[in-house]
Amino acid sequence: ANRGQLCFKGKFGMGFINHKSRLRTPLIRKGNDLEETSWEEAIQFMAEKLATYKGNEFAALASPQKTNEELYMLQKFSRVVMASNNVDHASNTKTGLVSGLADTLGYPAGTNPIWELEQSGCILVVSANVTEEHNVLGVPIKRATMNGGKLIVIDQREVELTRYATIWLRPRPGTELMLLGFMLRVINDEVLEDLEFVQQNCENQSSLKQSLVKYFDLERVEEITGISKDKVQEAARLYAGTDPASIVYALDTIPEEQALEVTHSIPNLALLTGNVGKIGGGIYPLRQGTNEQGACDVGCLPDFLPGYRAVY
């Protein structure tokens, strides 16, 4: 999946492997002390203890650094053996990151493999410090720009990707949602949408158009966001006029109360321009955990079974 690329810890954090403090045998608390024991005794001890906590008394918390297979087994153990849906992974703290994708596309996950970003003609990065927090993903983004792809960055911060950006938009704090709405308004007004794709795959386009006209007066874009109308139009035209185009986002600077609306606006941009269901297009939510996407896919969640089948 990562084509040999590693995060900073993977590249340099190797000292712990043979560190003198690393545990090499199981420990069981006896009295006030932790004493070394065999694997057989440790497993038997755990099984006897866990058997007394079935049902809602039991909860399992996984590391998002585990493999899909390990995560699947944990949720299966929790649900089948321990009779409990109380299972989650430790990095699942930004649930709003994909809520809008579930509402608009039907499933709370990214749409494309990360290496397809290399084939994007335009990449829109929204509130994401990619090269610091998701640096493996930064590789295909940089390669895309080196191959002539365009990069639009929406971020108040001067993140590293701004050095590669064709357009860098710095909205006032808390106005990112309005900025995305203004971009949608430009695409709508200038008929930059993929009409054939929209007619075949989308619903409620008339409602979207009415809301854009009602709430997003382009003459007020600079007053609200601090970005000139011309700059917003340039960014919207570049994204809508490039095929294929993709969106990468993390909501780092987005107020929590706006997260759901932002995650609706992002797929609306992709759908309106026909950038869903094609190589080099798509939407990429940047989850926090190493394999957080895998944990969600295989059902390591309290409200979803594997494949995003709702528990209730």
Side-chain angles (χ1 to χ4, degrees):
N2 62 359
R3 294 188 181 177
Q5 300 293 330
L6 297 173
C7 67
F8 300 125
K9 182 183 286 188
K11 287 179 180 177
F12 307 113
M14 297 176 285
F16 68 91
I17 295 174
N18 294 309
H19 196 277
K20 62 181 180 181
S21 298
R22 181 181 176 187
L23 295 178
R24 299 180 182 276
T25 56
L27 302 176
I28 291 181
R29 185 174 297 280
K30 297 180 179 179
N32 294 324
D33 299 320
L34 286 169
E35 297 183 5
E36 292 187 0
T37 187
S38 67
W39 281 106
E40 290 77 11
E41 183 182 357
I43 291 171
Q44 182 66 30
F45 176 82
M46 290 167 58
E48 291 173 357
K49 288 288 185 180
L50 286 175
T52 63
Y53 294 101
K54 288 192 174 183
N56 284 331
E57 290 187 319
F58 174 82
L61 189 62
S63 165
Q65 297 180 24
K66 297 302 179 182
T67 65
N68 287 356
E69 291 79 9
E70 291 168 323
L71 293 162
Y72 176 84
M73 287 296 293
L74 178 67
Q75 66 85 30
K76 191 78 169 180
F77 173 80
S78 178
R79 290 183 163 112
V80 176
V81 178
M82 301 304 294
S84 173
N85 284 311
N86 299 330
V87 57
D88 209 335
H89 52 280
S91 62
N92 188 27
T93 59
K94 292 177 70 173
T95 54
L97 189 70
V98 292
S99 298
L101 297 183
D103 294 339
T104 54
L105 301 180
Y107 55 94
T111 62
N112 295 58
I114 64 172
W115 295 100
E116 286 188 11
L117 283 166
E118 292 181 326
Q119 302 177 57
S120 291
C122 178
I123 302 173
L124 172 62
V125 178
V126 182
S127 186
N129 191 0
V130 177
T131 56
E132 288 291 330
E133 299 178 10
H134 307 270
N135 55 305
V136 172
L137 191 77
V139 175
I141 294 177
K142 290 180 180 179
R143 286 179 180 171
T145 63
M146 293 170 64
N147 293 330
K150 306 301 181 183
L151 177 63
I152 304 169
V153 175
I154 297 177
D155 209 307
Q156 304 144 26
R157 307 162 298 178
E158 189 174 355
V159 296
E160 186 192 354
L161 282 184
T162 59
R163 305 174 195 172
Y164 301 82
T166 308
I167 301 174
W168 175 21
L169 303 177
R170 303 183 74 178
R172 293 192 177 106
T175 65
E176 292 89 347
L177 175 61
M178 295 299 293
L179 175 57
L180 293 170
F182 283 123
M183 290 180 65
L184 282 165
R185 175 68 189 269
V186 172
I187 294 170
N188 176 67
D189 287 357
E190 299 185 10
V191 196
L192 301 175
E193 63 263 49
D194 185 332
L195 294 174
E196 182 179 354
F197 179 89
V198 171
Q199 290 172 0
Q200 293 179 359
N201 299 282
C202 302
E203 299 176 342
N204 302 322
Q205 186 188 9
S206 59
S207 298
L208 175 63
K209 288 187 174 184
Q210 290 172 11
S211 66
L212 292 174
V213 172
K214 181 177 181 180
Y215 296 110
F216 299 95
D217 180 359
L218 283 170
E219 300 307 319
R220 298 190 60 210
V221 62
E222 186 166 4
E223 172 191 343
I224 295 172
T225 67
I227 302 171
S228 70
K229 177 181 175 181
D230 291 344
K231 202 74 172 175
V232 174
Q233 289 173 324
E234 181 186 1
R237 291 166 184 162
L238 179 58
Y239 174 77
T242 308
D243 184 24
S246 54
I247 303 177
V248 174
Y249 72 96
L251 306 188
D252 288 350
T253 62
I254 307 296
E256 186 174 349
E257 61 273 15
Q258 293 185 15
L260 180 59
E261 287 86 351
V262 169
T263 58
H264 281 132
S265 296
I266 286 171
N268 280 341
L269 271 171
L271 289 167
L272 203 59
T273 55
N275 280 299
V276 174
K278 63 171 60 174
I279 295 174
I283 305 168
Y284 298 82
L286 302 187
R287 297 178 181 271
Q288 300 175 95
T290 309
N291 190 28
E292 185 173 336
Q293 184 67 67
C296 296
D297 291 344
V298 301
C300 211
L301 293 167
D303 48 348
F304 285 105
L305 301 173
Y308 299 102
R309 293 180 63 89
V311 169
Y312 304 110

